[in-house]
Amino acid sequence: MSFCCGASMIGTKGTLKHYRTRIHNVPILFCPVCHRVEVHYLVENEYEILAEYAHGDGASEVDFHDYVDESDKALNENCVNHEDEDPMTIVQSQIDMALDLLSFAKQLGDEEWEQQLKRRLGVLAGRRHKLRLKRTTGGTF
């Protein structure tokens, strides 16, 4: 699993910018707490090569799928959640994991880690609250 700031990262695909070139459909990992994005480690080398060639050719946009065969890659094996899941399920899963980690941090007596996890739980609880509001109001604020 890939972790960032105490939360497991979500596997998805996105568009990344390399200088002036936009590269679409890149397998990425996304942190639901701090919003950090990184290229999935299984395709990182391919991404870097494609990005450099596309930039060198002056391409403004390329599609990762057109140049890289990722069918044999186990891209989603290390992801706890994926973007096609229900957002409420993802947030609840992240909260559950953070609570488990908080319990462990307390057992270890690691106060700094406890505080970090409490901040993350606050962010995740806020996101869960917004999702609940969105559901009860029919998607409008």
Side-chain angles (χ1 to χ4, degrees):
M1 284 184 270
S2 294
F3 290 95
C4 176
C5 71
S8 60
M9 297 182 82
I10 298 169
T12 187
K13 294 192 179 188
T15 299
L16 299 177
K17 191 169 183 178
H18 181 79
Y19 297 107
R20 292 188 177 124
T21 304
R22 292 173 131 343
I23 305 170
H24 303 288
N25 295 311
V26 178
I28 59 174
L29 299 170
F30 171 76
C31 178
V33 175
C34 70
H35 299 248
R36 187 175 114 198
V37 173
E38 60 185 49
V39 175
H40 196 291
Y41 70 93
L42 289 176
V43 296
E44 195 169 13
N45 290 335
E46 291 91 338
Y47 169 78
E48 289 175 11
I49 292 168
L50 178 60
E52 287 300 321
Y53 277 115
H55 174 69
D57 288 346
S60 61
E61 295 190 29
V62 294
D63 192 319
F64 191 81
H65 287 299
D66 293 344
Y67 296 93
V68 179
D69 177 25
E70 51 188 286
S71 60
D72 62 337
K73 305 265 186 202
L75 294 173
N76 295 323
E77 285 182 359
N78 75 329
C79 300
V80 173
N81 298 106
H82 306 281
E83 82 168 323
D84 57 348
E85 292 179 55
D86 175 45
M88 186 63 83
T89 302
I90 292 172
V91 170
Q92 191 58 52
S93 171
Q94 296 289 329
I95 288 172
D96 291 345
M97 283 186 280
L99 287 169
D100 290 343
L101 290 172
L102 181 60
S103 175
F104 186 66
K106 285 182 180 184
Q107 288 177 359
L108 293 176
D110 191 332
E111 292 180 22
E112 182 181 344
W113 192 19
E114 284 182 49
Q115 293 307 313
Q116 290 172 349
L117 289 165
K118 287 177 182 177
R119 282 192 296 274
R120 288 177 191 99
L121 280 164
V123 170
L124 290 168
R127 186 150 306 125
R128 182 178 61 185
H129 180 69
K130 286 180 183 177
L131 285 169
R132 284 182 178 159
L133 285 175
K134 190 174 182 181
R135 286 186 178 178
T136 59
T137 61
T140 59
F141 283 96

